[in-house]
CSV table of all heavy atoms in Angstrom, one decimal:
chain,number,residue,atom,x,y,z
A,310,ASN,N,19.0,20.3,62.3
A,310,ASN,CA,19.5,19.8,63.6
A,310,ASN,C,18.4,19.6,64.6
A,310,ASN,O,17.3,20.1,64.3
A,310,ASN,CB,20.6,20.8,64.2
A,310,ASN,CG,19.9,22.1,64.6
A,310,ASN,OD1,19.5,22.2,65.8
A,310,ASN,ND2,19.9,23.1,63.7
A,311,LEU,N,18.6,18.9,65.7
A,311,LEU,CA,17.7,18.7,66.7
A,311,LEU,C,18.2,19.2,68.1
A,311,LEU,O,17.9,18.6,69.1
A,311,LEU,CB,17.3,17.2,66.8
A,311,LEU,CG,16.6,16.6,65.6
A,311,LEU,CD1,16.7,15.1,65.6
A,311,LEU,CD2,15.2,17.1,65.5
A,312,ILE,N,19.0,20.2,68.1
A,312,ILE,CA,19.7,20.6,69.3
A,312,ILE,C,18.7,21.1,70.4
A,312,ILE,O,18.9,20.8,71.5
A,312,ILE,CB,20.7,21.8,69.0
A,312,ILE,CG1,21.9,21.2,68.2
A,312,ILE,CG2,21.3,22.4,70.3
A,312,ILE,CD1,22.9,22.2,67.7
A,313,GLU,N,17.7,21.8,70.0
A,313,GLU,CA,16.8,22.4,71.0
A,313,GLU,C,15.7,21.4,71.5
A,313,GLU,O,15.1,21.6,72.5
A,313,GLU,CB,16.1,23.6,70.4
A,313,GLU,CG,17.0,24.8,70.1
A,313,GLU,CD,17.8,25.3,71.3
A,313,GLU,OE1,17.2,25.2,72.4
A,313,GLU,OE2,19.0,25.6,71.2
A,314,TRP,N,15.4,20.4,70.7
A,314,TRP,CA,14.4,19.4,71.1
A,314,TRP,C,14.7,18.1,70.4
A,314,TRP,O,15.3,18.0,69.4
A,314,TRP,CB,13.0,19.9,70.8
A,314,TRP,CG,12.9,20.5,69.4
A,314,TRP,CD1,13.0,19.8,68.2
A,314,TRP,CD2,12.8,21.9,69.1
A,314,TRP,NE1,12.9,20.7,67.2
A,314,TRP,CE2,12.8,22.0,67.7
A,314,TRP,CE3,12.7,23.0,69.9
A,314,TRP,CZ2,12.6,23.2,67.1
A,314,TRP,CZ3,12.6,24.2,69.3
A,314,TRP,CH2,12.5,24.3,67.9
A,315,THR,N,14.1,17.0,71.0
A,315,THR,CA,14.2,15.7,70.4
A,315,THR,C,12.9,15.5,69.6
A,315,THR,O,12.0,16.3,69.7
A,315,THR,CB,14.3,14.6,71.5
A,315,THR,OG1,13.1,14.6,72.3
A,315,THR,CG2,15.5,14.8,72.4
A,316,ILE,N,12.9,14.4,68.8
A,316,ILE,CA,11.6,14.1,68.1
A,316,ILE,C,10.5,13.9,69.1
A,316,ILE,O,9.3,14.2,68.8
A,316,ILE,CB,11.9,12.8,67.2
A,316,ILE,CG1,13.0,13.0,66.2
A,316,ILE,CG2,10.6,12.4,66.6
A,316,ILE,CD1,12.7,14.1,65.2
A,317,GLU,N,10.8,13.3,70.3
A,317,GLU,CA,9.8,13.1,71.3
A,317,GLU,C,9.2,14.4,71.8
A,317,GLU,O,8.0,14.6,71.9
A,317,GLU,CB,10.3,12.3,72.4
A,317,GLU,CG,10.7,10.8,72.1
A,317,GLU,CD,12.0,10.6,71.4
A,317,GLU,OE1,12.7,11.6,71.2
A,317,GLU,OE2,12.2,9.5,70.9
A,318,ASP,N,10.1,15.4,72.0
A,318,ASP,CA,9.7,16.7,72.4
A,318,ASP,C,8.8,17.3,71.3
A,318,ASP,O,7.7,17.9,71.6
A,318,ASP,CB,10.9,17.6,72.6
A,318,ASP,CG,11.7,17.2,73.8
A,318,ASP,OD1,11.2,16.6,74.7
A,318,ASP,OD2,12.9,17.5,73.8
A,319,ALA,N,9.2,17.2,70.1
A,319,ALA,CA,8.5,17.8,69.0
A,319,ALA,C,7.1,17.2,68.8
A,319,ALA,O,6.1,17.9,68.5
A,319,ALA,CB,9.2,17.6,67.6
A,320,ALA,N,7.0,15.9,69.1
A,320,ALA,CA,5.7,15.2,69.0
A,320,ALA,C,4.7,15.8,70.0
A,320,ALA,O,3.5,16.0,69.8
A,320,ALA,CB,5.8,13.7,69.2
A,321,ARG,N,5.2,16.0,71.3
A,321,ARG,CA,4.4,16.6,72.3
A,321,ARG,C,4.0,18.1,71.9
A,321,ARG,O,2.9,18.5,72.1
A,321,ARG,CB,5.1,16.6,73.6
A,321,ARG,CG,5.2,15.2,74.3
A,321,ARG,CD,5.7,15.3,75.7
A,321,ARG,NE,7.0,15.8,75.8
A,321,ARG,CZ,8.1,15.1,75.8
A,321,ARG,NH1,8.0,13.8,75.6
A,321,ARG,NH2,9.3,15.6,75.9
A,322,LEU,N,5.0,18.8,71.5
A,322,LEU,CA,4.7,20.2,71.1
A,322,LEU,C,3.7,20.4,70.0
A,322,LEU,O,2.9,21.2,69.9
A,322,LEU,CB,6.0,20.9,70.7
A,322,LEU,CG,7.0,21.2,71.9
A,322,LEU,CD1,8.4,21.6,71.4
A,322,LEU,CD2,6.5,22.3,72.8
A,323,GLN,N,3.8,19.5,69.0
A,323,GLN,CA,3.0,19.5,67.8
A,323,GLN,C,1.6,18.8,68.1
A,323,GLN,O,0.7,18.9,67.2
A,323,GLN,CB,3.7,18.9,66.6
A,323,GLN,CG,5.0,19.5,66.2
A,323,GLN,CD,4.7,20.8,65.4
A,323,GLN,OE1,3.6,21.0,64.9
A,323,GLN,NE2,5.8,21.6,65.2
A,324,GLY,N,1.5,18.0,69.1
A,324,GLY,CA,0.3,17.3,69.4
A,324,GLY,C,0.1,16.2,68.4
A,324,GLY,O,-1.1,15.9,68.0
A,325,ILE,N,1.2,15.6,68.0
A,325,ILE,CA,1.1,14.5,67.0
A,325,ILE,C,1.6,13.2,67.6
A,325,ILE,O,2.7,13.2,68.3
A,325,ILE,CB,2.0,14.8,65.7
A,325,ILE,CG1,1.5,16.1,65.1
A,325,ILE,CG2,2.0,13.7,64.7
A,325,ILE,CD1,2.5,16.6,64.0
A,326,PRO,N,1.0,12.1,67.5
A,326,PRO,CA,1.5,10.8,68.0
A,326,PRO,C,2.9,10.6,67.5
A,326,PRO,O,3.2,10.8,66.3
A,326,PRO,CB,0.5,9.8,67.5
A,326,PRO,CG,-0.8,10.5,67.2
A,326,PRO,CD,-0.3,11.9,66.8
A,327,LEU,N,3.8,10.1,68.4
A,327,LEU,CA,5.2,9.9,68.1
A,327,LEU,C,5.4,9.1,66.8
A,327,LEU,O,6.2,9.5,65.9
A,327,LEU,CB,5.9,9.3,69.2
A,327,LEU,CG,7.4,9.1,69.1
A,327,LEU,CD1,8.1,10.4,68.7
A,327,LEU,CD2,8.0,8.4,70.3
A,328,ASN,N,4.8,8.0,66.7
A,328,ASN,CA,5.0,7.1,65.5
A,328,ASN,C,4.5,7.8,64.2
A,328,ASN,O,5.2,7.6,63.2
A,328,ASN,CB,4.2,5.8,65.7
A,328,ASN,CG,4.9,4.9,66.7
A,328,ASN,OD1,6.0,5.1,67.1
A,328,ASN,ND2,4.1,3.9,67.2
A,329,GLU,N,3.4,8.5,64.3
A,329,GLU,CA,3.0,9.3,63.1
A,329,GLU,C,4.0,10.3,62.7
A,329,GLU,O,4.3,10.5,61.5
A,329,GLU,CB,1.6,9.9,63.4
A,329,GLU,CG,1.1,10.7,62.2
A,329,GLU,CD,-0.1,11.5,62.5
A,329,GLU,OE1,-0.9,11.2,63.4
A,329,GLU,OE2,-0.3,12.6,61.8
A,330,LEU,N,4.5,11.1,63.7
A,330,LEU,CA,5.5,12.1,63.4
A,330,LEU,C,6.8,11.5,62.8
A,330,LEU,O,7.3,12.0,61.8
A,330,LEU,CB,5.9,12.9,64.7
A,330,LEU,CG,6.9,14.0,64.5
A,330,LEU,CD1,6.4,15.1,63.5
A,330,LEU,CD2,7.3,14.6,65.8
A,331,ARG,N,7.2,10.4,63.4
A,331,ARG,CA,8.4,9.7,62.8
A,331,ARG,C,8.2,9.3,61.3
A,331,ARG,O,9.1,9.6,60.5
A,331,ARG,CB,8.7,8.5,63.6
A,331,ARG,CG,9.4,8.7,65.0
A,331,ARG,CD,9.8,7.4,65.7
A,331,ARG,NE,10.3,7.6,67.0
A,331,ARG,CZ,11.5,8.0,67.3
A,331,ARG,NH1,12.4,8.2,66.3
A,331,ARG,NH2,11.9,8.1,68.5
A,332,ALA,N,7.0,8.8,61.1
A,332,ALA,CA,6.7,8.3,59.7
A,332,ALA,C,6.7,9.5,58.7
A,332,ALA,O,7.2,9.5,57.6
A,332,ALA,CB,5.4,7.6,59.7
A,333,ARG,N,6.1,10.6,59.2
A,333,ARG,CA,6.0,11.8,58.3
A,333,ARG,C,7.4,12.4,58.0
A,333,ARG,O,7.7,12.8,56.9
A,333,ARG,CB,5.0,12.8,58.9
A,333,ARG,CG,3.6,12.4,58.8
A,333,ARG,CD,2.7,13.3,59.7
A,333,ARG,NE,2.6,14.6,59.1
A,333,ARG,CZ,1.9,15.6,59.7
A,333,ARG,NH1,1.1,15.3,60.8
A,333,ARG,NH2,1.8,16.8,59.1
A,334,LEU,N,8.1,12.5,59.1
A,334,LEU,CA,9.5,13.1,59.0
A,334,LEU,C,10.4,12.2,58.1
A,334,LEU,O,11.2,12.7,57.3
A,334,LEU,CB,10.1,13.3,60.3
A,334,LEU,CG,9.5,14.4,61.2
A,334,LEU,CD1,10.2,14.4,62.6
A,334,LEU,CD2,9.7,15.8,60.6
A,335,GLU,N,10.2,10.9,58.2
A,335,GLU,CA,11.0,10.0,57.4
A,335,GLU,C,10.6,10.1,55.9
A,335,GLU,O,11.5,10.1,55.0
A,335,GLU,CB,10.9,8.6,57.8
A,335,GLU,CG,11.6,7.5,57.0
A,335,GLU,CD,13.1,7.8,56.7
A,335,GLU,OE1,13.7,8.5,57.5
A,335,GLU,OE2,13.6,7.3,55.7
A,336,ALA,N,9.3,10.2,55.6
A,336,ALA,CA,8.9,10.4,54.3
A,336,ALA,C,9.4,11.7,53.7
A,336,ALA,O,9.9,11.8,52.5
A,336,ALA,CB,7.4,10.4,54.2
A,337,SER,N,9.4,12.8,54.5
A,337,SER,CA,10.0,14.1,54.1
A,337,SER,C,11.5,14.0,53.8
A,337,SER,O,12.0,14.5,52.9
A,337,SER,CB,9.7,15.2,55.1
A,337,SER,OG,8.3,15.4,55.2
A,338,ARG,N,12.2,13.3,54.8
A,338,ARG,CA,13.6,13.2,54.6
A,338,ARG,C,14.0,12.5,53.3
A,338,ARG,O,14.9,12.9,52.6
A,338,ARG,CB,14.2,12.3,55.8
A,338,ARG,CG,15.7,12.2,55.8
A,338,ARG,CD,16.2,11.0,56.5
A,338,ARG,NE,15.8,9.7,55.9
A,338,ARG,CZ,16.5,9.2,54.9
A,338,ARG,NH1,17.6,9.8,54.3
A,338,ARG,NH2,16.1,8.1,54.3
A,339,HIS,N,13.2,11.4,53.0
A,339,HIS,CA,13.5,10.7,51.8
A,339,HIS,C,13.3,11.6,50.5
A,339,HIS,O,14.2,11.6,49.6
A,339,HIS,CB,12.5,9.5,51.7
A,339,HIS,CG,12.8,8.6,50.5
A,339,HIS,ND1,13.9,7.8,50.4
A,339,HIS,CD2,12.2,8.5,49.3
A,339,HIS,CE1,13.9,7.2,49.3
A,339,HIS,NE2,12.9,7.6,48.6
A,340,LYS,N,12.3,12.4,50.5
A,340,LYS,CA,12.1,13.4,49.4
A,340,LYS,C,13.2,14.4,49.3
A,340,LYS,O,13.7,14.7,48.2
A,340,LYS,CB,10.7,14.1,49.5
A,340,LYS,CG,9.5,13.2,49.3
A,340,LYS,CD,8.2,14.0,49.5
A,340,LYS,CE,7.0,13.1,49.3
A,340,LYS,NZ,5.8,13.8,49.6
A,341,LEU,N,13.6,14.9,50.5
A,341,LEU,CA,14.7,15.9,50.5
A,341,LEU,C,16.0,15.3,50.0
A,341,LEU,O,16.8,15.9,49.3
A,341,LEU,CB,14.9,16.5,51.9
A,341,LEU,CG,13.7,17.3,52.4
A,341,LEU,CD1,13.9,17.7,53.9
A,341,LEU,CD2,13.4,18.5,51.5
A,342,PHE,N,16.2,14.0,50.4
A,342,PHE,CA,17.4,13.3,50.0
A,342,PHE,C,17.5,13.1,48.5
A,342,PHE,O,18.5,13.4,47.9
A,342,PHE,CB,17.5,12.0,50.7
A,342,PHE,CG,18.7,11.1,50.2
A,342,PHE,CD1,20.0,11.4,50.7
A,342,PHE,CD2,18.5,10.1,49.3
A,342,PHE,CE1,21.1,10.6,50.2
A,342,PHE,CE2,19.6,9.4,48.8
A,342,PHE,CZ,20.8,9.6,49.3
Side-chain angles (χ1 to χ4, degrees):
N310 71 89
L311 294 166
I312 291 173
E313 295 302 326
W314 43 71
T315 64
I316 299 296
E317 290 78 8
D318 294 332
R321 285 192 296 273
L322 289 168
Q323 298 281 347
I325 302 172
L327 180 58
N328 287 343
E329 179 189 333
L330 179 62
R331 285 184 184 278
R333 290 170 65 181
L334 291 174
E335 174 56 21
S337 294
R338 183 203 69 81
H339 185 73
K340 290 179 182 176
L341 295 175
F342 174 78

